[in-house]
Amino acid sequence: MAKFVGGVATSHVPSIGAAIDHNKTQEAYWKPLFDGIEPLRTWAAEAQPDVVIVVYNDHASRFGLDLTPTFAVGAGSSFLPHDEGYGPRPVPPCVGEPDLAWHIVESLVINEEFDITIVNEMTVDHGLTVPLSLAFGQPDQWPCRVIPLCVNVIQYPQPTANRCYKLGKAIRRAIESYPTDIKVAIFGTGGLSHQLQGERAGLINTPYDMKWLNGIVETPEQLAQTTHLELLTEAGSEGLEVIMWMIMRGAMAKDVREVHRFYHVPASNTAYGLLVLEDVE
Ligand code: DHB
Ligand code: FE
């Protein structure tokens, strides 16, 4: 049977990827951030997941206003990095895990009544590749297979935090019913507070970010009731990305052990947040 090994919440700021790709991680601006994520790398190397489900949002790269799936699962056998304007990131292609992806899709649609979009061909942008770089560094090949789970957080109406939480729970049931002996982890990406546009560009709300870091660990049921209006007001227009952390948390046990927490400002215009969590059995 598949074994669930843990969950990670991490922001996916694109300039973190650029800092890695251009060997700037030891420069004064970036060193504190990369020192702070080191325990994630240690955890990932020890946990050795065979498959990571990466919950992320596409930033008008593969999808856009012409086609905006609410929840899309990548069921293909490989996913190349998308060219977001400076050429594709120099990271390996993601190797997919179509068997598990299809099992999850089948379980979601048939058993759980979640009507999921199935994507057989897709490129993946910084929302997915930056978290992989944070967890695994710069290998020639990613040490795990990847199932992209893409969430619409860009175009109204986005799914609620509670819907995301329920999706996470449904995904966990799908993992538990997968007969093959593999280790599976889930990453929830995006957030924390950030606004990239308009009068409030650069908004950082640290007390509100703390509410999310604490709430994800301790009171996810309560956090799942958060409205989009609250998120937009408190965390900024792109802060809504943090609803993707609810999918990760929903996939975990009721009680979790906090293996590592890190919070850092600034990372570009965004507050960087990281949680590494394991189930309390
Ligand atoms: C930026 C973009 C993002 O998608 C994000 O989540 C955080 C920051 C940026 O362009 O700085
Ligand atoms: Fe983003």
Side-chain angles (χ1 to χ4, degrees):
M1 298 299 282
K3 183 170 183 289
F4 182 79
V5 295
V8 172
T10 171
S11 314
H12 60 215
V13 183
S15 54
I16 294 175
I20 295 171
D21 300 342
H22 297 106
N23 294 318
K24 294 188 172 174
T25 60
Q26 296 310 300
E27 292 186 0
Y29 182 88
W30 288 111
K31 190 174 184 323
L33 186 140
F34 286 97
D35 286 349
I37 62 96
E38 203 50 45
L40 164 63
R41 292 194 174 164
T42 305
W43 176 84
E46 281 170 9
Q48 289 189 354
D50 298 297
V51 178
V52 177
I53 300 167
V54 184
V55 184
Y56 78 109
N57 67 291
D58 179 87
H59 302 74
S61 302
R62 167 63 173 87
F63 304 112
L65 296 184
D66 60 327
L67 177 64
T68 314
T70 302
F71 297 118
V73 170
S77 54
S78 86
F79 311 100
L80 294 174
H82 194 88
D83 183 348
E84 297 179 63
Y86 300 92
R89 287 193 61 211
V91 293
C94 297
V95 176
E97 181 79 346
D99 274 358
L100 176 57
W102 279 100
H103 173 80
I104 290 172
V105 167
E106 182 182 30
S107 178
L108 290 176
V109 175
I110 305 292
N111 303 335
E112 307 278 358
E113 298 179 347
F114 268 99
D115 303 319
I116 297 294
T117 301
I118 301 159
V119 193
N120 289 308
E121 281 183 27
M122 64 194 283
T123 49
V124 289
D125 73 9
H126 69 270
L128 183 140
T129 63
V130 167
L132 290 180
S133 299
L134 284 166
F136 302 115
Q138 292 171 288
D140 292 335
Q141 295 178 346
W142 297 122
C144 56
R145 275 104 58 203
V146 174
I147 298 179
L149 171 53
C150 185
V151 180
N152 167 38
V153 298
I154 289 185
Q155 167 64 44
Y156 179 88
Q158 298 93 334
T160 62
N162 199 36
R163 186 72 173 148
C164 290
Y165 189 52
K166 288 179 180 172
L167 176 61
K169 286 176 183 271
I171 288 171
R172 177 60 179 264
R173 287 188 284 270
I175 295 168
E176 304 271 278
S177 65
Y178 189 62
T180 309
D181 285 333
I182 52 169
K183 292 194 282 181
V184 181
I186 185 164
F187 290 5
T189 79
L192 285 167
S193 56
H194 64 301
Q195 172 140 349
L196 303 175
Q197 57 194 310
E199 282 177 17
R200 298 201 308 161
L203 174 139
I204 304 283
N205 185 345
T206 298
Y208 192 73
D209 291 339
M210 293 304 137
K211 176 180 158 170
W212 269 80
L213 289 165
N214 292 331
I216 285 282
V217 178
E218 286 156 21
T219 52
E221 300 277 337
Q222 219 173 303
L223 205 59
Q225 301 310 314
T226 308
T227 64
H228 287 174
L229 187 59
E230 176 182 312
L231 279 164
L232 293 170
T233 308
E234 300 291 341
S237 52
E238 280 72 38
L240 192 73
E241 285 182 348
V242 79
I243 62 171
M244 295 184 290
W245 291 22
M246 295 306 309
I247 299 178
M248 177 280 293
R249 186 61 181 88
M252 299 202 67
K254 183 170 167 291
D255 294 321
V256 293
R257 178 171 45 256
E258 187 177 309
V259 177
H260 182 59
R261 176 189 296 217
F262 177 58
Y263 180 78
H264 179 75
V265 176
S268 178
N269 287 321
T270 306
Y272 177 82
L274 171 66
L275 289 170
V276 180
L277 305 174
E278 287 178 348
D279 282 358
V280 174
E281 306 290 334

